[in-house]
Amino acid sequence: MANIVVFASGSGTNFQAIIDAVESGKIAGQIRGLITNKAGIGAIERAKKHSIKYSVLSPANFPDADEFAQVLLQQLEEWETDLIALAGYLVKIPTEIIKRYEGRILNIHPALLPKYGGKGFYGLKVHQAVIENEELESGCSVHVVTDEYDAGPVLAQAKVAVKKTDDASTLAARILEEEHRLYPKVIAKMADKINAKRG
């Protein structure tokens, strides 16, 4: 069983989609913990409800980036992490973590990468840009995390039509539904690969 750790900074709806997929057996893995940079968020409530351990680690609470990275690494090792799933996590992943878990850190982005990716493109800002540029379609992308924001290999995408009546919020809501379907499927495939390597 692949050991999955989820990183989230907000309400945790994608985290919930992963929890549901694990609990229903669609993902052959277990969620060992939640890492977040904020206390008092919805994702923590979801973790508590499902008896998942969580750790609040914010770079702001450490003297420097190196110490933050070391504490994060220790936590991931303690949970015997095989796979990291970013689910609305708004902190850049330290290089040491990316190297250590190369090819095993996934992120879901609310646009069709490489369009509308990179620093500053997150949340409603992405959907606003899509609408302002009069795009006919948008969607979500699951990609491997590398040192550069949203630049890692794209593993899967789901598309939605952009309606003339859409604003950033209505488009975000429709794309979020696709995220909840797509992300657990990609995580399931990655967990199967990890499990197969173990034999």
Side-chain angles (χ1 to χ4, degrees):
M1 292 276 274
N3 290 330
I4 302 160
V5 174
V6 179
F7 285 44
S9 297
S11 64
T13 64
N14 271 309
F15 178 34
Q16 187 66 53
I18 298 165
I19 292 169
D20 293 346
V22 166
E23 289 184 350
S24 67
K26 288 175 183 165
I27 294 174
Q30 55 190 343
I31 301 172
R32 290 300 305 269
L34 167 73
I35 298 277
T36 179
N37 58 311
K38 292 179 182 173
I41 57 167
I44 290 175
E45 294 310 309
R46 294 175 196 277
K48 287 178 181 173
K49 191 177 171 186
H50 293 270
S51 303
I52 294 167
K53 292 176 182 172
Y54 67 91
S55 185
V56 180
L57 296 172
S58 171
N61 296 334
F62 291 88
D64 56 46
D66 283 348
E67 194 163 325
F68 170 64
Q70 285 310 309
V71 173
L72 196 51
L73 204 51
Q74 281 168 6
Q75 183 62 82
L76 291 169
E77 285 173 356
E78 189 183 311
W79 286 337
E80 300 177 330
T81 307
D82 295 312
L83 177 61
I84 294 169
L86 308 186
Y89 184 65
L90 301 178
V91 175
K92 195 169 193 310
I93 302 296
T95 302
E96 298 93 313
I97 307 290
I98 290 170
K99 281 182 181 165
R100 180 66 184 272
Y101 295 96
E102 191 176 353
R104 293 183 288 143
I105 307 176
L106 302 179
N107 182 46
I108 183 132
H109 183 76
L112 298 174
L113 293 173
K115 282 185 167 184
Y116 306 104
K119 197 166 171 60
F121 276 115
Y122 62 88
L124 288 177
K125 291 179 182 180
V126 174
H127 309 298
Q128 195 60 50
V130 166
I131 288 166
E132 283 170 7
N133 288 330
E134 299 181 353
E135 297 281 0
L136 298 177
E137 64 177 13
S138 189
C140 54
S141 307
V142 179
H143 67 94
V144 175
V145 174
T146 59
D147 255 340
E148 200 178 330
Y149 276 114
D150 304 326
V154 173
L155 302 180
Q157 291 183 319
K159 295 178 179 179
V160 303
V162 179
K163 297 176 181 175
K164 285 193 167 68
T165 53
D166 269 328
D167 60 22
S169 296
T170 58
L171 182 58
R174 281 210 316 290
I175 289 174
L176 193 59
E177 287 178 18
E178 293 300 327
E179 289 180 36
H180 295 163
R181 277 193 280 271
L182 183 67
Y183 206 11
K185 285 180 188 171
V186 179
I187 292 169
K189 279 186 185 171
M190 188 73 90
D192 287 346
K193 279 185 189 171
I194 290 164
N195 294 331
K197 272 185 185 171
R198 286 196 178 143

